[in-house]
Amino acid sequence: METVCHGKLWDVALAYDEQQNIVGALPYLMGSKMGLRYILQPQLTQYNGPWYREGTDQGNTTRQLTAHLKKLHLALYLQNFAPSITHFAGWEKYEVSPRPTYRIDDITNPQQVFDNFDKHQRQKAIRRAQKVLHIDEDITPDQFATLHAEYWQSRGKADLLSHDFIQRVVSTAVAHGNGILIAARDADGRLHGARFAVYDSRCGYSLMCAFHPEGHHNATSSFLLWEIFQRLASRTRSFDFEGSREPSIALSYSLYGSYPATYHQVFRSAIPFAKKLLKIQ
């Protein structure tokens, strides 16, 4: 949280059992605009909901967490809960909406993962890329941040992530052993693309990628993702593509052998039209 919320106000709501052991936690990013206080997802943070200690009374734990939120006098609350959160006892006063994501449950056998890729698109693209590209593991966070900005500029859009933010997130994750940054170069050393992924013991996530404007994006992207899978196979178990409602993106994810899964967005507004006032999508 400190890395993605650097320079901003964030905190953690805690819940305790009778022995004062922590049984639940809810990290959150606080913002304020026009005198209205709100909680939203931090940048590059797909999921940011509660953690519950296994075996605890989830309903009672949630009531403690929501009591903390009530004391904040929020105009708006919006967080995405991880797919592992499937029961919502205690969240009855909040709107709970299902959202799609795409996952591979087991990436510990890379060959099996590759065999599940679409043969005509993903496998073919990877084999084509392997003939002309090689992996560079020495690309720096600074170089990646520059490529990321150039990539979005080539698409006629501004990079929504600052250079310093990207550099800080990548550097911190890699230094803590929870991040992988790799690039694809050709025989002349030209940079074709790069991809950054984070992981813990349970799941990996591809957070950012960027490509040279004149490169073959589809082949390079597939090649880099396949290399990420191989490196994550011994470090985590699952992979989450972080869902999208765009049909073309959903199709792209399915070609890697992923399946549609569900996470939930939890929302509450204390005043009408809070989203419009705060310009929140």
Side-chain angles (χ1 to χ4, degrees):
M1 282 290 289
E2 176 58 33
T3 302
V4 294
C5 300
H6 183 74
K8 301 177 181 178
L9 179 62
W10 69 274
D11 206 341
V12 183
L14 298 175
Y16 302 88
D17 62 13
E18 294 179 354
Q19 290 74 41
Q20 294 302 299
N21 298 309
I22 296 175
V23 294
L26 179 67
Y28 58 85
L29 170 64
M30 176 81 78
S32 178
K33 187 175 183 179
M34 297 183 296
L36 302 176
R37 307 176 81 189
Y38 58 86
I39 285 176
L40 293 176
Q41 294 291 117
Q43 289 179 302
L44 288 184
T45 307
Q46 179 77 354
Y47 311 124
N48 194 31
W51 165 84
Y52 298 102
R53 184 180 294 279
E54 187 175 354
T56 60
D57 182 345
Q58 185 170 319
N60 180 58
T61 301
T62 298
R63 282 187 285 275
Q64 291 186 55
L65 299 177
T66 54
H68 176 100
L69 295 177
K70 185 177 181 179
K71 294 177 182 178
L72 298 176
H73 303 291
L74 299 170
L76 183 144
Y77 170 89
L78 191 154
Q79 285 190 308
N80 296 335
F81 289 9
S84 59
I85 304 296
T86 57
H87 300 287
F88 295 91
W91 294 98
E92 289 84 3
K93 294 183 179 181
Y94 293 72
E95 296 179 24
V96 180
S97 305
R99 298 293 179 97
T101 187
Y102 301 85
R103 295 173 70 93
I104 299 175
D105 281 339
D106 189 348
I107 62 169
T108 58
N109 184 332
Q111 186 57 53
Q112 187 176 64
V113 172
F114 185 82
D115 290 343
N116 288 330
F117 289 177
D118 180 86
K119 292 180 174 59
H120 299 290
Q121 293 194 45
R122 294 295 175 247
Q123 289 187 9
K124 185 177 180 181
I126 291 168
R127 291 191 174 107
R128 183 169 66 248
Q130 286 173 330
K131 295 178 180 178
V132 296
L133 300 176
H134 65 272
I135 291 297
D136 172 14
E137 295 186 287
D138 295 323
I139 181 174
T140 67
D142 178 69
Q143 290 171 329
F144 177 67
T146 298
L147 177 66
H148 198 269
E150 292 174 346
Y151 169 61
W152 283 105
Q153 185 178 13
S154 72
R155 300 179 66 182
K157 300 179 181 180
D159 195 337
L160 298 179
L161 304 174
S162 72
H163 188 103
D164 289 345
F165 178 81
I166 294 174
Q167 190 171 6
R168 181 175 63 254
V169 169
V170 174
S171 298
T172 302
V174 172
H176 283 78
N178 293 110
I180 297 175
L181 175 63
I182 59 174
R185 296 184 184 273
D186 61 24
D188 296 322
R190 287 189 293 263
L191 182 62
H192 284 241
R195 187 177 288 274
F196 169 63
V198 296
Y199 62 92
D200 56 23
S201 60
R202 294 177 297 178
C203 194
Y205 309 83
S206 181
L207 286 197
M208 290 182 282
C209 58
F211 306 98
H212 191 281
E214 299 177 2
H216 299 287
H217 294 179
N218 288 336
T220 304
S221 178
S222 297
F223 173 57
L224 286 168
L225 193 54
W226 166 231
E227 292 291 334
I228 289 287
F229 282 143
Q230 293 180 82
R231 286 160 174 77
L232 288 178
S234 61
R235 309 182 195 190
T236 189
R237 181 168 185 81
S238 304
F239 190 85
D240 192 318
F241 286 88
E242 301 192 346
S244 172
R245 292 181 171 183
E246 290 290 333
S248 60
I249 297 177
L251 174 62
S252 173
Y253 292 156
S254 69
L255 295 176
Y256 290 104
S258 66
Y259 71 93
T262 301
Y263 69 95
H264 292 84
Q265 185 174 91
V266 180
F267 169 79
R268 187 179 184 185
S269 176
I271 61 175
F273 311 113
K275 278 189 175 181
K276 288 186 177 180
L277 288 171
L278 299 172
K279 297 183 179 180
I280 296 168
Q281 299 296 321

